[in-house]
Amino acid sequence: MGRHLALLLLLLLLLQHFGDSDGSQRLEHPPPLQFTHFQYNVTVHENSAAKTYVGHPVKMGIYITNPLWELRYKIVSGDNENLFKAEEYILGDFCFLRIRTKGGNTAILNREVKDHYTLIVKAVEKNTNVEARTKVRVQVLDTNDLRPLFSPTSYSVSLPENTAIRTSIARVSATDADIGTNGEFYYSFKDRTDMFAIHPTSGTVVLTGRLDYVETQLYELEILAVDRGMKLYGSSGISSMAKLTVHVEQANECAPVITAVTLSPSELDKDPTYAIVTVDDCDQGANGEIASLSIVAGDFLQQFRTVRSSPGSKEYKIKALNGIDWDSHPSGYNLTLQAKDKGTPPQFSSVKVIHVTSPHFKAGPVRFEKDIYRAEISEFAPPNTPVVMVKAVPSYPHLRYVFKSTPGKAKFSLNHNTGLISILEPIKRQQTSHFELEVTTSDRKASTKVLVKVLGTNSNPPEFTQTAYKASFDENAPIGTTVMRVSAIDPDEGENGYVTYSIANLNHVPFVIDHFTGAVSTSENLDYELMPRVYTLRIRASDWGLPYRREVEVLATITLNNLNDNTPLFEKINCEGTIPRDLGVGEQITTVSAIDADELQLVRYQIEAGNELDLFGLNPNSGVLSLKQSLMDGLGAKVSFHSLRITATDGENFATPLYINITVAASRKPVNLQCEETGVAKMLAEKLLQANKLHGQGEAEDIFFDSHSVNAHVPQFRSTLPAGIEVKENHPVGSSIIFMNATDLDSGFNGKLVYAISGGNEDSCFIIDMETGMLKILSPLDRETTDRYTLNITVFDLGIPQKAAWRLLDIIVLDANDNPPEFLQESYFVEVSEDKEINSEIIQVEATDKDLGPNGHVTYSILTDTDKFSIDSTTGVVKIIHPLDRELQHVHYLKIEARDQAKEEPQLFSTVLLKVSLEDVNDNPPKFIPPNYRVKVREDLPEGTIIMWLEAYDPDLGQSSQVRYSLMDHGEGHFDVDKLSGAVRIVQQLDFEKKQVYNLTVRAKDKGKPVSLSSTCYVEIEVIDVNENLHPPVFSSFVEKGAVKEDVPIGSSVMTVSAHDEDTGRDGEIRYSIRDGSGVGVFKIDEETGVIETSDRLDRESTSHYWLTVYATDQGVVPLSSFIEIYIEVEDVNDNAPQTSEPVYYPEIMENSPKDIPVVQIEAFDPDSSSDDKLTYKITSGNPQGFFSIHPKTGLITTTSRKLDREQQDEHILEVTVTDNGTPPRSTIARVIVKILDENDNKPQFLQKFYKIRLPEREKPERNSKREPLYRVVATDKDEGPNAEISYSIEDGNDNGKFFIEPKTGVVSSKKFSAAGEYDILSIKAVDNGRPQKSSTTRLHIEWISKPKPSLEPISFEESFFTFTVMESDPVAHMIGVISVEPAGTPLWFDIIGGNYDSHFDVDKGTGTIIVAKPLDAEQKSNYNLTVEATDGTTTILTQVSELQMMCLSEEN
């Protein structure tokens, strides 16, 4: 969008540019034709006469930027009714646009029909037809030509008789089609009334008196709307009227007020009353009677009703309709009550909420603190061990706890008062691991579950399946043979019931037992013969329980079975001997005896060999060997040697054979046999003896069988335990009191002790740690409830059978400061007259404290910061100590503290509120707010208007606070005050011109008894002048012209303007001011006389005229003004000298120029209007020889017949004076610096006509030797630039070409060999570089002489070095200085051999004089160091360097 706009603007500019330009393509556009504003806002009054010019706040028209313009204005649109005409008026450089109403029969302007016109005015320039347009918005101003009109014209309102004074009761409305002040009007009552007042501008009707239905039921009021213009324009003109009817109704003023007292009926009451409600209404008659009292909320089941105590009574009872459901609302019901009176319309009370409670509960439903209690009990726990304490809240004194019938309740006891559940006897987990108990309150309203978990402990020893075990086995069984198995069972859980086995015999037994399976096996080879045959084992079964293992032992009898495992052994072997041949048959020879360790069967003997003849007989049982057949006859007689092999057998095993070698002897000798003893019998006897010993030991053990598992000792309490202790009642719950330690000499479980409180703990205040015996506090102690306990502490061991001991412990509860003092009342109230004397006692408060001693001693203090009351710290009596004032504070709330006097502990206190209500005494006069009044009032307000309300406040109560107002003076009868409402009214028309300020004194008086009090205030009423300023100041014309000379002194009078105002007084006083125009700040005006003076220097050349907009303003309250345009022309004075275009001119002209060649044009102008184009020019300095002339009128400088010569004068400085024609004339001087340019009108000039030099002879030169310089010729040329550039050449005398000249420097050099006496003449030409070229010639004579003889004295320079100064402007051939040599008179030749940059310097060959050889330029080089050589021509050549400084002294310096 923005881009499109920009392009459009560019296009318009281009169109305007090309459209404006005419064929001649003017470079400068004249300023366009345009109005000072695009739009003008002008005003004209409705109903204006013909040819009335519109008022305009700004200058309307076009500035004439071209003096040739002729402008015409025309309204081209917006004036359809042909009401207006546009006119021109030219003054100075401005063409005013004036618009007026037309004359004749044209329509009249009417603002109410049309209040503005928008005219388009066109300006046309007659010569070029250029146009410009502007918009003129004509605003039609109002005149007061219409009256106010009521709409509607009648009003009606009904008021209750109790309507408060100052209440707005109605609002009337009128309109006036005029605007501004013309549209303003005032409301007023046609006839005066003290009951009502009307606001003059808003139309609001206010009640100012007390209505009384009995006295007046109807008011009919007439209200006027009067145009304010009536006073202004003096017309007694027209107003409108409306009617207001006020109906007074009887008032139902008071709403009923409910007060209620709730009751707590007994449960036994058959028809309980829950609350008594009283309803009051302060109205009289039916309005004050109560129609009904209703329950409007809170009884949604409609269980309650309201019942009048007696017919027509104002007291009601709240009762039940039928039964009330208290269970769903255990905390009670909130009933909302509302009362209605019998008034019309009825008044309703504000709602009142009462809380009715059940006869059963006053503090809400009882609940257990937990829905489920979880507890654990150890199997070790002795009787009376506490399990858990249940608690129901809120806690009532009559609250009791009971078990509901549950299977496990037989094991537990419940403290009905405290809720502590304990066990009656130890509980075994294997019987029941969990108990679920249910506890309820005695009224069965609340219940809770108690879950008791039995903690498994090592309470059971293992139990063998048999009371004794028996087993037998064979001897020689392999090691590890299982002989028997035992088994024990432990009903405990986990490791407490995990059984392992061991053999508990003190003496060694040849058996081992598997610890886990109970299998008994052999650990040695057992021999029936050598070892005990019956073993009694003590087998121990042990659980793995904690803190101790439980163990049990059983006897196991193991019998060893004998096996035939021994071979019979002969007591004697290898028998040899003789028997007589005549041994009789049947006679005993010997007895063989074999012993068998087995005691199973008898040994039997038999002859295995050697008895083939059957000579011998062997008794198989006794072992007696006897002769069976006679040796004397038969076969036996033949043999004299017998070898018998006898064996013995136990039925299975055969003994190693026994050999008896018998020799039969002939002689009668006794039987003689010799045998080897084996010692078997002795060995066997020893073994048996050892076995018997072992057997005897085993029996000894049986005496000590299981002695360690016997519970031999009873626990014993420490003898040092006190019989009684003291405990403070504030000892914290859970803290330890005493360590009831006991001892038991038994070990293991027999010595493990557990503790319980068996009696005396009815309040459940104590608990003893089952394991440690530490007595602790379980629930808070309260000395005030119980101050002494005797506890039965019982200690049990865990042996089987269990043993116990008990001890009584007296606990005395010491007082702690745990009870704050308690006031006998929740709050205290007392009524006191506000004028009660100081030190009067008004009330006594009392508090009690259940604690003992200082803890229960109460002192009183007042916490509230008050200086009015004090309290006796001991008795609690409250006194007045400072005067009271109900009006300052009608009620005092005193916070009273009762504090005990505890010393060791923090003191406790409680507070109570004492409300001291003050009764009123008439001790205050009414007080005006504010103390004095100031009010401004328009002078034209209608009679009956309330201009202010007086406000007096009396802080007393009742009649003492009712205020009545009165005027002490009547303000000359213009004002009145309403005694009830305090309204101050206008009762007589005001006039600012007569009186501007009224001072009234008002009294306010109360109706107190016995004495009434009063006060006064001052009311200042300032009357405000109403704008009666009807006419603005008027100038005789809308524009004026003035003239003033430039350069007049500041404060010079220019002209006087004057305006006229038809109003009188201040409304007609005029003040003048300059507010706009180009001359603001340049001119000032005397505000009273209208004289315009200068306030700044005037200069016509900078500003030739000024516009001023001068305002004339009257001094009215609403000032009116008009303005005039002033055109001031500044007249010229010759106060400016001519001015040249340049301060200095720099022309150039060739020398030798002919006559009348223009040199420069001097341009000058004069800002003064009179002098313009009337200047004269004259050369007044720098032209004595008349080289130049100037035209006196045009200022052109030209050459004259006198020829200019640059070489003589290269610059002419002229002064030209330019003069105007004023009186006196003024002039100015311009400087002209004429530079003369060079012409080649001078030829080069050698310094000498001819040069003659003598040089020492020259020896024959070597080949390729350098040319040596001989001499330098120098020429000068007076011209400059190329005209002075010189070139040298040898014209003649150099036929053989031995000489050479440097064209630029003129140095002549030669390689020629010259002998003494020879002579050379050279002709040398110098040519310049001008056009045309000019030249001159000279001759150089060279005479060669013999070399002088060497000097006797060595030659030397007079100074070690030479310093010379030269100016940049020094001409060629100017001598700079001489190089002097000693001794004087010696012929010498000089040369510059170094440092001569661009050959600017030369040294005279013979004299040593240094000259300028070429023009110098300090900018090019400013310092030269020349090396000068001096020689006397002999072999001795001495050189000396001299330094030459060239000072840079240019022409400018």
Side-chain angles (χ1 to χ4, degrees), residues 716-752:
Q716 279 198 322
F717 281 102
R718 198 176 70 226
S719 58
T720 56
L721 279 175
I725 56 168
E726 292 180 338
V727 178
K728 247 189 152 174
E729 62 176 320
N730 61 350
H731 224 60
V733 170
S735 60
S736 305
I737 305 172
I738 187 169
F739 189 35
M740 297 294 294
N741 63 338
T743 52
D744 190 321
L745 299 174
D746 294 316
S747 60
F749 279 104
N750 296 334
K752 169 78 176 155

Side-chain angles (χ1 to χ4, degrees), residues 990-1060:
L990 302 173
D991 187 351
F992 175 82
E993 282 68 30
K994 287 185 183 161
K995 186 159 185 171
Q996 293 81 40
V997 178
Y998 292 88
N999 285 306
L1000 309 181
T1001 307
V1002 182
R1003 171 183 283 157
K1005 188 172 180 182
D1006 67 25
K1007 293 175 76 180
K1009 297 272 188 296
V1011 181
S1012 68
L1013 303 174
S1014 68
S1015 61
T1016 58
C1017 83
Y1018 297 104
V1019 180
E1020 182 186 292
I1021 300 171
E1022 186 184 334
V1023 181
I1024 299 297
D1025 189 16
V1026 168
N1027 181 24
E1028 298 162 56
N1029 187 10
L1030 302 180
H1031 304 285
V1034 178
F1035 287 100
S1036 54
S1037 73
F1038 79 99
V1039 66
E1040 278 188 33
K1041 179 179 175 181
V1044 62
K1045 289 264 193 222
E1046 66 174 330
D1047 299 334
V1048 296
I1050 291 173
S1052 300
S1053 175
V1054 179
M1055 63 189 293
T1056 303
V1057 294
S1058 178
H1060 170 65

Side-chain angles (χ1 to χ4, degrees), residues 1098-1115:
L1098 300 179
D1099 183 4
R1100 192 205 62 79
E1101 287 70 40
S1102 58
T1103 312
S1104 62
H1105 65 272
Y1106 293 92
W1107 283 99
L1108 298 177
T1109 306
V1110 174
Y1111 275 78
T1113 309
D1114 62 27
Q1115 298 292 89

Side-chain angles (χ1 to χ4, degrees), residues 948-962:
M948 65 189 296
W949 297 90
L950 294 174
E951 190 79 65
Y953 170 67
D954 190 322
D956 293 320
L957 293 180
Q959 290 232 329
S960 305
S961 69
Q962 293 178 13

Side-chain angles (χ1 to χ4, degrees), residues 1054-1074:
V1054 179
M1055 63 189 293
T1056 303
V1057 294
S1058 178
H1060 170 65
D1061 191 321
E1062 288 183 19
D1063 293 311
T1064 56
R1066 285 178 63 84
D1067 295 343
E1069 281 180 31
I1070 298 176
R1071 295 287 178 269
Y1072 299 95
S1073 59
I1074 297 171

Side-chain angles (χ1 to χ4, degrees), residues 932-944:
N932 292 299
Y933 293 80
R934 291 188 68 178
V935 66
K936 295 184 178 183
V937 179
R938 289 185 193 162
E939 60 174 324
D940 65 340
L941 285 176
E943 291 176 16

